[in-house]
Amino acid sequence: MKELIFEYDEMKRTMHPVRQAALFHLKFESIHPFIDGNGQTGRLLLNLELMKAGYPAINVKFADRRRYYDCFTAYKNENIELKKKLGLIPKSNTSPYRDILNIDENKVITNGINNYSSPKEKIKLFLNIFKGREDVFALRWEGENGKSGYSPAYSNEWKKGVCNKPKIKCSECLNRNLTKYDEDMVEKHLSGNKVVGIYALLKDETCNFLAVDFDKKSWMEDAKAFRETVVENGIPLAVEKSR
């Protein structure tokens, strides 16, 4: 978003108002900065720019919605092709490590969910992929001394008359009440209000997903070997390069 704000001033100086408003809208929606309301916010900003320049506001009718969404797809594809021609990304894919690992992003299971799906649909997809224990989850904490970590979430933590912290540890408290892992908590996690940790290992010592970290110099070869083994066993996977 910071880059877009900087670009905004340049676009205002060098572009026709209608073209500038359209390009700003395309870039804003491509960033998709919020968990919900990106389309409505983007169209409000689009109309604000048009009206500031003396043009009437526009209304994307339901019948034109597919054509409207197709414009975003075309914009994204044109950007990718341009970057390939400029040598900014490999011609065969968007990232070199994806070529080496032989990753087909189209095969990642999304159940038809995309950027334009409702928040509820996205949350359900998240819960379907990252399926752990539902009776408990962890919340990230940060102490005054700079330490940080994850601890189980309790609904009555620090509640007067119930919680006896710090005299009694949560693990030893008879009044502790674990908070359930549900759609509401996932929404808070995805919106950045909370940082949630999932307990992937179930009570029967099985799990629905694994998160595997590869590092050091051999990370790419190790990830490739792991991927090949997973594919041979018919297990779906997604590979992501961390920060």
Side-chain angles (χ1 to χ4, degrees):
M1 280 300 297
K2 286 183 179 179
E3 291 182 8
L4 179 56
I5 298 302
F6 288 133
E7 289 178 17
Y8 172 78
D9 292 331
E10 180 66 20
M11 288 190 288
K12 290 282 287 184
R13 289 194 300 269
T14 60
M15 300 177 69
H16 186 279
V18 174
R19 183 178 177 83
Q20 174 263 320
L23 183 57
F24 182 86
H25 184 56
L26 283 167
K27 287 177 175 287
F28 177 87
E29 297 300 343
S30 297
I31 295 171
H32 227 65
F34 311 116
I35 189 173
D36 190 17
N38 291 282
Q40 293 175 331
T41 303
R43 287 187 288 275
L44 282 171
L45 291 173
L46 169 64
N47 282 328
L48 175 63
E49 290 301 304
L50 290 173
M51 293 170 70
K52 280 163 57 178
Y55 292 91
I58 64 170
N59 177 33
V60 180
K61 297 179 180 179
F62 183 82
D64 298 325
R65 188 171 62 172
R66 177 44 54 195
R67 290 173 58 197
Y68 171 70
Y69 290 154
D70 286 344
C71 291
F72 293 108
T73 302
Y75 170 73
K76 178 181 177 182
N77 291 338
E78 286 177 8
N79 269 344
I80 291 174
E81 289 304 315
L82 178 59
K83 288 180 179 179
K84 286 179 181 178
K85 290 177 181 178
L86 294 174
L88 299 177
I89 55 176
K91 292 184 178 180
S92 58
N93 214 319
T94 57
S95 180
Y97 79 89
R98 292 189 180 276
D99 281 340
I100 296 170
L101 296 177
N102 191 26
I103 297 166
D104 184 355
E105 292 177 325
N106 294 321
K107 291 183 179 179
V108 176
I109 299 173
T110 60
N111 296 331
I113 305 301
N114 55 45
N115 281 347
Y116 308 109
S117 300
S118 69
K120 196 168 185 178
E121 290 173 319
K122 294 175 184 176
I123 290 170
K124 284 185 177 179
L125 174 64
F126 186 93
L127 283 168
N128 185 53
I129 296 174
F130 301 105
K131 190 181 296 182
R133 286 182 58 174
E134 297 179 355
D135 61 318
V136 61
F137 66 91
L139 280 177
R140 189 175 188 275
W141 54 266
E142 292 185 8
E144 294 180 355
N145 56 3
K147 290 185 177 181
S148 62
Y150 287 85
S151 297
Y154 299 100
S155 61
N156 53 11
E157 189 174 12
W158 299 112
K159 195 173 286 186
K160 282 188 176 182
V162 180
C163 178
N164 294 309
K165 287 178 68 175
K167 291 182 180 179
I168 300 177
K169 295 180 180 179
C170 291
S171 58
E172 300 172 355
C173 181
L174 298 176
N175 297 324
R176 66 177 185 174
N177 185 30
L178 293 168
T179 305
K180 290 185 177 181
Y181 175 63
D182 55 17
E183 292 185 10
D184 180 59
M185 192 51 59
V186 170
E187 181 178 3
K188 291 177 180 177
H189 173 74
L190 295 177
S191 62
N193 294 324
K194 300 284 185 180
V195 180
V196 173
I198 302 171
Y199 288 99
L201 190 63
L202 305 179
K203 290 182 179 180
D204 61 359
E205 297 189 354
T206 62
C207 62
N208 294 298
F209 77 95
L210 287 174
V212 185
D213 182 38
F214 299 99
D215 49 26
K216 299 183 179 179
K217 291 183 179 180
S218 63
W219 73 266
M220 196 174 291
E221 291 77 14
D222 295 340
K224 184 177 181 181
F226 181 82
R227 179 196 175 280
E228 290 173 352
T229 302
V230 167
V231 170
E232 285 177 5
N233 287 275
I235 302 171
L237 84 158
V239 179
E240 181 64 35
K241 190 175 182 181
S242 67
R243 291 174 293 179

